[in-house]
Amino acid sequence: MLLAEHGLDESGLYVGNDPLQIERAGVYFTQVDSNGPTKYVPRSVQIDLEAGVCNHIRAGSLGKLFRPDTFFTGESGAGNNWAKGCKLHHYSPFPSCWLTLDIGGRLYRRWAELIDSILDIVRRQSESCEALQGFQIIHSLGGGTGAGLGSLLLSKLREEYPDRMLQTFSILPSPNVSETVVEPYNALLSIHQLVDNCDLTICIDNEALYDIAVRTLKISTPSFDDLNEVRMSYLATNLFCDLRKLGMNLIPFPRLHFLMPSYGPFYDPKARAFQKISVPELTSSLFDRRSLLVACDPRFGRYLTAACIFRGKVSSIEAETSVAQLQRKNSNLFVE
């Protein structure tokens, strides 16, 4: 979706016909001028402690898009173990409790070398930015790599870049699509690091994605590909936001930075051709619990802050009017 936004093909070459598409491509892409046509390379780092996923990307249709030196893989993997993916000694989020790992010095040196290699790749990528605003991390809290190594990487980025914004898109586990029994423990241990070292955390719940796929999209047995498609519909919209502006307007307190995303409209593919939605209806659907990407019911709480991002041919006056009307009609759901 990010490639389509800028009119790029799967190899990073511009194939669009609108100059506005390529105008802001430098936010996420590095322009490479060689002897042939101009190529746009994503400014990203792909990390996994086992080589299977990264090898799948290399061999797939997007294999020619990424720089080869931005892939980092381990040898043995984390084995769905948060402690193996993170570090040796760490505080537990529970009061008066320690998480102590009895691991030898050889493994300590190995993890130190791994995280240093990752930071070297990140440093090279960040040096190619004209004005680095921050980092966006997409990770899962259910596995050992996304939860454990993701927590360690988050703390190291905070040390290396203390004045930059850190935003995460954190995928929360769900029993409906769970593969291992330790996913809740990995998520719980990661929340502690997200509270301390992150500026913005977008919570995306697999359980909510599963319900959207079954009830709205009419998919009887959703696969991870189906959930990823729903997830990317939201990520494609949120990636273009100003991180500091979001943090300044949505975060009332530094530690209270866990945001609840919503996306609309979701359609049954068979009924898409018969649907027409207005701006007020679209705004109202954003605050419907069936459009939330986290499994919770906002009717039993209140909104401290909210931000509506519209894409497409929408009048700014009409959007502001719709939001103001919704806020007046549902004033009991908002904190004054």
Side-chain angles (χ1 to χ4, degrees):
M1 290 186 179
L2 194 59
L3 294 175
E5 181 77 19
H6 294 291
L8 303 176
D9 62 10
E10 293 182 345
S11 60
L13 301 177
Y14 178 64
V15 294
N17 52 13
D18 187 354
L20 293 177
Q21 287 182 304
I22 210 68
E23 184 176 345
R24 300 299 297 274
V27 176
Y28 285 101
F29 295 88
T30 299
Q31 182 176 343
V32 179
D33 296 319
S34 57
N35 297 330
T38 301
K39 183 180 178 67
Y40 293 87
V41 181
R43 198 178 300 114
S44 63
V45 183
Q46 296 71 234
I47 304 170
D48 201 347
L49 290 181
E50 56 182 4
V53 176
C54 289
N55 289 338
H56 180 73
I57 296 176
R58 290 191 185 102
S61 58
L62 298 178
K64 297 181 180 179
L65 179 65
F66 300 96
R67 288 177 50 176
D69 58 351
T70 59
F71 287 90
F72 181 87
T73 58
E75 298 177 359
S76 60
N80 292 311
N81 190 326
W82 182 92
K84 189 176 180 181
C86 190
K87 47 186 172 180
L88 303 181
H89 300 282
H90 203 281
Y91 291 108
S92 170
F94 300 104
S96 304
C97 181
W98 279 83
L99 174 66
T100 304
L101 308 176
D102 187 10
I103 305 178
R106 182 182 303 174
L107 187 57
Y108 176 83
R109 290 192 297 270
R110 177 190 169 204
W111 286 124
E113 293 174 358
L114 287 179
I115 195 63
D116 287 342
S117 300
I118 295 174
L119 290 177
D120 286 339
I121 301 174
V122 174
R123 195 174 296 112
R124 289 197 301 267
Q125 292 288 73
S126 61
E127 287 174 355
S128 64
C129 298
E130 295 181 0
L132 179 63
Q133 188 180 66
F135 299 91
Q136 292 178 319
I137 300 176
I138 303 176
H139 66 140
S140 172
L141 299 185
T145 301
L149 184 61
S151 300
L152 178 59
L153 179 60
L154 198 63
S155 63
K156 293 297 183 180
L157 288 176
R158 177 58 71 194
E159 294 177 4
E160 293 279 337
Y161 305 91
D163 57 340
R164 301 303 180 206
M165 297 289 292
L166 294 181
Q167 180 189 25
T168 66
F169 297 93
S170 302
I171 315 301
L172 302 176
S174 167
N176 293 330
V177 290
S178 177
E179 294 183 338
T180 58
V181 296
V182 296
E183 287 185 354
Y185 302 99
N186 293 333
L188 182 62
L189 293 168
S190 300
I191 294 295
H192 178 61
Q193 287 293 320
L194 292 175
V195 171
D196 290 340
N197 297 318
C198 190
D199 297 308
L200 287 166
T201 299
I202 311 296
C203 302
I204 302 177
D205 190 352
N206 276 341
E207 183 175 351
L209 301 182
Y210 187 89
D211 291 338
I212 291 173
V214 173
R215 298 177 183 178
T216 305
L217 303 181
K218 307 302 181 183
I219 303 174
S220 57
T221 55
S223 63
F224 278 106
D225 291 337
D226 298 322
L227 301 186
N228 285 334
E229 186 175 350
V230 177
R231 186 181 298 117
M232 286 308 301
S233 299
Y234 167 77
L235 291 180
T237 302
N238 192 266
L239 285 175
F240 295 95
C241 300
D242 187 291
L243 298 183
R244 294 197 180 276
K245 186 180 294 185
L246 272 182
M248 182 179 63
N249 291 285
L250 291 180
I251 306 302
F253 307 102
R255 294 171 64 88
L256 196 61
H257 57 253
F258 293 86
L259 305 181
M260 182 175 62
S262 178
Y263 178 84
F266 285 115
Y267 287 134
D268 179 2
K270 297 180 180 179
R272 183 184 297 270
F274 305 95
Q275 298 286 345
K276 183 179 180 181
I277 190 168
S278 62
V279 176
E281 292 174 345
L282 179 61
T283 306
S284 179
S285 69
L286 293 177
F287 292 87
D288 189 346
R289 64 184 180 89
R290 291 171 295 184
S291 298
L292 293 176
L293 303 187
V294 286
C296 68
D297 194 339
R299 295 176 297 179
F300 297 100
R302 288 191 175 187
Y303 294 101
L304 292 176
T305 58
C308 295
I309 303 172
F310 294 89
R311 300 192 69 187
K313 296 181 180 180
V314 179
S315 171
S316 59
I317 297 177
E318 189 176 6
E320 292 175 1
T321 303
S322 300
V323 173
Q325 289 177 352
L326 184 139
Q327 190 171 3
R328 284 196 300 268
K329 292 179 181 179
N330 303 278
S331 58
N332 60 316
L333 297 179
F334 294 88
V335 175
E336 297 181 358

